[in-house]
Amino acid sequence: MENTARTPEVATPRAVAATTGFLYLLGATAVLCVVLAGAARGWSGTVLAAVVVVAAAVGAGCLWRGRFLPRWTWHVLVGGGTGLITTVVLAAPDTASSVALAGIYAFVALDAFFFFAPRPALLHLGAALTAGSLALAARPGLDAGAVAAHDVVLVGVAAVVGALVRRASSASRDSLTGLLNRRGFGDALRAAVPDAARGRGLSVVLLDLDHFKAVNDTGGHAAGDDLLRAVTTAWRALVPAGALLGRYGGDEFAVLLPGHDGAAALALAERLRLAAAPAGVSVGVAQLRPGESGADLVRRADVALYEAKDAGRGRCALAGDGDVALAHDLALALERGQVRVHYQPVVALPGAQVLGVEALVRWDRPGHGPVPPLELVRAAERHGLVGALGAHVVRRACEDAVALRAAAGRDLFVTVNASGRELTAPGYADGLAAALRAAGLPPAALVVEVTETLLEAESASALAALEQVRALGVAVAVDDFGTGWSSLHRLDVLPVSHLKLDRSFVRDLASCPQRVRLLRGVVALAEALALRLVAEGVETAEQRDVLLALGCPLAQGYLFGRPAPLAEVLAAVGAGVGGPVASRA
């Protein structure tokens, strides 16, 4: 079972293998220096030479295949290192060489406190201290003071390394449960994907407590915290060795399962769900597919989680179940024009006048009900339907934008989302141009939204497609801005004109001064680069007021209107409504 309360996050198989192998090679090099110096004086150094060969072979093996070794073997390697160091300290040609070689014990302390929980790390340190003290005491000319000095240095190295590792680890820990937080889990996931791609397999389980808000509302936050700690304790006992359990945020947990396929992960998920009783839990499971990133894997698990919730909560769902049938039904729905487009208003602050709308796809699958948009798009991407789906949304959005502009009696813009596969498909810009011509909509009235993570990929084909879109006179927006890291330094050269601030920034505005300061900087950045900034996910008047005070020009969210069918939006703008667009959707 994963010991999340004590094991450092840096103890990934890849990091342990690389560090241990490197330290073995450094130790072998140090011993070789003594052997060569002794040989110059006529000393044979057979024992030390043998240790050099053994240490070099072990170090090379760790670097080559060490990441595939089971965790218990690392204790053998660190303990074996203590034995080899003790051998060379005893076999050194003179006392000075013994003292110098005893310094290699610091590698044992470093390795142990970097990668092991405190208790086994202390055991390794104790073994190194005992062996080193006895070996040095056996050398002529060394008194107790010299041995004690060596021990003090070794303890100091261990204490400093241990403190630094624990301090760094706390940034990746959830303070309530002691589990990995979202950051720590994400780091572990990124490290696990390359190994899984070599055939080991990898699955992710997302668990969400049903009706958790009701627990907080009725029993207070203390009751909610007690529930989170209780399920953490229950799940820790079930998580297998090598797996990682994390608190992904709020009432959502995640399990990383190296070496597990979807079926095995689903079986574990069901055990975890039952262990949380009487609390209800909905669970989504996904297995890594070839060529898939960690983020893609989590997104599919999230889709499966919402499938479980939509099916009635308190159950598990495996991503990909029914996927082929869903794609078949979607293809038929596209042929028959049964996929709908809803619109959510984008308003100007402070007056909440509607300046544009975002087109959002909606589909009620016959016999199943509404399909979550993310699941819909993913199924379309997996089965080659994303081009047809995107083209359908663009055609409808352009036609409906003309009607909206006529009803409002003023210029309004409409935004459409483009996935990575859709954007990079041949002829994407040509399809936009054809839709604009057919509807009679000016290109300047259309905005294409792409995610920040797509821009991070720096795909040459994606950037070329964006240049073609801009050449039409169509605007480009960066959606979910603030969730990625690498596009910030290129905003001034990318062909974008809009930034859509991710809703995660807006959610905590009223209670997080640091988030307010960060958003103030984003507003200034957008102004400096002449980019139109839209804050997404505005749900309360308090959030609106903070955005207004910061100078954010545009906003979007439930406070101003939910996604609604065209008829409702037409009625609102046709009546000259400047405030929220009413909707029951």
Side-chain angles (χ1 to χ4, degrees):
M1 185 188 75
E2 176 220 5
N3 196 341
T4 57
R6 293 184 293 275
T7 302
E9 276 73 53
V10 292
T12 63
R14 187 180 299 273
V16 175
T19 304
T20 304
F22 179 65
L23 292 179
Y24 257 94
L25 291 177
L26 280 181
T29 303
V31 177
L32 180 61
C33 291
V34 173
V35 171
L36 294 176
R41 302 194 305 269
W43 177 70
S44 63
T46 304
V47 174
L48 267 64
V51 170
V52 169
V53 173
V54 172
V58 172
C62 289
L63 293 175
W64 179 42
R65 302 289 288 178
R67 63 185 179 276
F68 300 113
L69 293 174
R71 184 171 294 273
W72 63 266
T73 59
W74 299 113
H75 292 285
V76 174
L77 289 170
V78 173
T82 299
L84 289 176
I85 298 167
T86 303
T87 299
V88 298
V89 169
L90 291 171
D94 50 56
T95 300
S97 297
S98 291
V99 173
L101 291 174
I104 307 176
Y105 282 115
F107 292 174
V108 172
L110 191 153
D111 219 2
F113 281 85
F114 248 121
F115 299 123
F116 299 147
R119 183 176 298 174
L122 287 171
L123 291 174
H124 281 293
L125 177 63
L129 286 170
T130 302
S133 298
L134 293 175
L136 288 173
R139 299 297 311 207
L142 278 180
D143 55 25
V147 175
H150 166 268
D151 292 346
V152 168
V153 171
L154 195 59
V155 171
V157 170
V160 171
V161 170
L164 290 176
V165 168
R166 262 62 198 179
R167 186 176 182 84
S169 297
S170 65
S172 300
R173 290 288 176 187
D174 172 55
S175 58
L176 177 66
T177 62
L179 300 176
L180 292 173
N181 59 19
R182 181 185 289 263
R183 172 182 171 180
F185 189 87
D187 291 343
L189 175 61
R190 283 188 289 274
V193 167
D195 288 338
R198 297 183 178 92
R200 291 190 64 207
L202 179 69
S203 294
V204 161
V205 175
L206 293 182
L207 308 104
D208 189 86
L209 301 181
D210 296 330
H211 309 298
F212 181 72
K213 185 177 183 299
V215 176
N216 279 333
D217 291 344
T218 57
H221 288 288
D225 290 348
D226 288 342
L227 176 58
L228 293 173
R229 283 189 286 259
V231 296
T232 296
T233 300
W235 288 340
R236 272 179 169 161
L238 295 176
V239 172
L244 294 172
L245 173 64
R247 184 183 176 195
Y248 211 58
D251 60 342
E252 189 171 352
F253 292 77
V255 184
L256 185 65
L257 293 168
H260 286 63
D261 60 17
L266 186 63
L268 174 64
E270 183 63 19
R271 293 196 296 273
L272 295 173
R273 186 186 68 81
L274 294 174
V281 181
S282 298
V283 190
V285 181
Q287 178 183 349
L288 188 72
R289 292 173 170 171
E292 194 173 43
S293 68
D296 292 332
L297 175 62
V298 171
R299 277 194 288 268
R300 287 198 299 109
D302 196 50
V303 169
L305 172 61
Y306 278 94
E307 283 182 357
K309 285 184 173 293
D310 290 341
R313 300 178 185 266
R315 62 193 67 200
C316 301
L318 176 63
D321 286 352
D323 191 49
V324 175
L326 185 149
H328 177 266
D329 291 350
L330 175 59
L332 291 177
L334 287 169
E335 291 178 6
R336 298 167 181 172
Q338 296 171 342
V339 177
R340 297 170 290 115
V341 179
H342 284 191
Y343 300 92
Q344 185 174 34
V346 179
V347 305
L349 298 177
Q353 182 186 37
V354 178
L355 297 186
V357 293
E358 179 179 1
L360 300 165
V361 65
R362 296 292 185 267
W363 178 43
D364 292 331
R365 185 183 178 193
H368 296 80
V371 178
L374 181 60
E375 178 187 350
L376 174 61
V377 173
R378 290 296 172 189
E381 287 184 330
R382 286 193 292 266
H383 295 278
L385 298 173
V386 69
L389 178 62
H392 170 77
V393 173
V394 168
R395 285 194 303 270
R396 288 294 307 272
C398 290
E399 294 168 358
D400 292 347
V402 173
L404 285 169
R405 288 158 67 93
R410 65 181 189 275
D411 291 343
L412 296 174
F413 64 82
V414 62
T415 71
V416 295
N417 293 277
S419 72
R421 294 187 183 180
E422 183 182 1
L423 181 68
T424 56
Y428 176 74
D430 294 336
L432 291 182
L436 290 166
R437 286 194 303 270
L441 182 69
L446 181 63
V447 181
V448 173
E449 295 186 15
V450 295
T451 63
E452 185 175 5
T453 51
L454 172 62
L455 296 181
E456 285 175 12
E458 299 197 49
S459 164
S461 56
L463 296 179
L466 290 180
E467 294 287 359
Q468 294 171 0
V469 169
R470 290 292 286 143
L472 294 175
V474 173
V476 175
V478 176
D479 197 13
D480 300 333
F481 180 74
T483 59
W485 300 98
S486 66
S487 65
L488 180 60
H489 71 285
R490 296 184 293 113
L491 282 178
D492 60 336
V493 296
L494 286 167
V496 300
S497 55
H498 293 61
L499 292 183
K500 300 198 73 175
L501 190 70
D502 187 70
R503 64 186 64 248
S504 62
F505 275 81
V506 176
R507 183 173 55 240
D508 301 325
L509 276 180
S511 59
C512 182
Q514 184 176 357
R515 188 61 55 86
V516 173
R517 290 193 293 270
L518 182 59
L519 182 52
R520 183 179 291 112
V522 175
V523 172
L525 173 68
E527 290 177 351
L529 297 178
L531 300 173
R532 301 184 77 182
L533 183 65
V534 183
E536 295 185 291
V538 182
E539 298 183 357
T540 67
E542 195 172 13
Q543 293 170 342
R544 176 202 60 198
D545 293 342
V546 174
L547 290 168
L548 182 59
L550 292 174
C552 184
L554 303 177
Q556 180 179 348
Y558 287 176
L559 179 65
F560 309 108
R562 293 174 178 267
L566 176 65
E568 293 186 28
V569 184
L570 278 173
V573 300
V577 175
V581 177
S583 173
R584 296 182 301 275

